[in-house]
Amino acid sequence: MLPAGCMINLQIYHVHRNSDHYSNPEVFDPDNFLPERVAKRHPYAYVPFSAGPRNCIDQKFALLEEKTVISSILRNFKVESVEQRKNLNLMNELILRPESGIRVRLLPRGS
């Protein structure tokens, strides 16, 4: 039990890299989001838009919009990071973000 007035900071970065829920948490694996894997995971093991009473009201729209843009980019370009994650200075604000963004290289895909 927590005392009244206590403040808690939940580190989403670490929640999304919990080895109890993801077999290789430091590597992006799209299969982690297959329905059968999601069903086996705690519902708050992945919370990109918060959860509970403060959940984002436009979550579904934001995900659809994000998927549309990303799929268009990935169909037309190969995306490479110019920087290594270990060299990024992460800032924990309203969202976790790199201090000076992430530089990427877009290489056109052959037709």
Side-chain angles (χ1 to χ4, degrees):
M1 187 154 190
L2 299 172
C6 182
M7 290 183 63
I8 296 175
N9 185 4
L10 180 63
Q11 297 293 325
I12 299 298
Y13 179 87
H14 296 294
V15 170
H16 291 170
R17 287 161 180 78
N18 185 336
S19 60
D20 292 343
H21 299 290
Y22 305 100
S23 58
N24 195 355
E26 293 297 325
V27 174
F28 175 72
D29 179 3
D31 289 349
N32 283 332
F33 302 97
L34 292 172
E36 57 272 16
R37 287 199 188 172
V38 171
K40 294 177 187 174
R41 214 172 31 233
H42 188 279
Y44 294 142
Y46 182 66
V47 286
F49 292 98
S50 186
R54 296 178 187 216
N55 200 14
C56 176
I57 59 172
D58 265 344
Q59 175 180 355
K60 289 185 173 139
F61 173 74
L63 280 171
L64 289 172
E65 186 176 46
E66 182 179 279
K67 288 176 183 179
T68 301
V69 170
I70 290 174
S71 71
S72 178
I73 291 169
L74 294 178
R75 277 183 276 121
N76 294 295
F77 298 95
K78 179 179 177 187
V79 181
E80 293 180 351
S81 176
V82 176
E83 306 172 48
Q84 294 182 357
R85 198 183 84 214
K86 66 181 181 180
N87 297 331
L88 296 175
N89 185 26
L90 299 177
M91 298 175 59
N92 190 13
E93 295 178 335
L94 180 60
I95 60 169
L96 182 68
R97 66 179 188 83
E99 185 175 38
S100 55
I102 299 176
R103 296 179 329 168
V104 295
R105 179 181 300 122
L106 299 177
L107 304 169
R109 292 190 182 273
S111 296

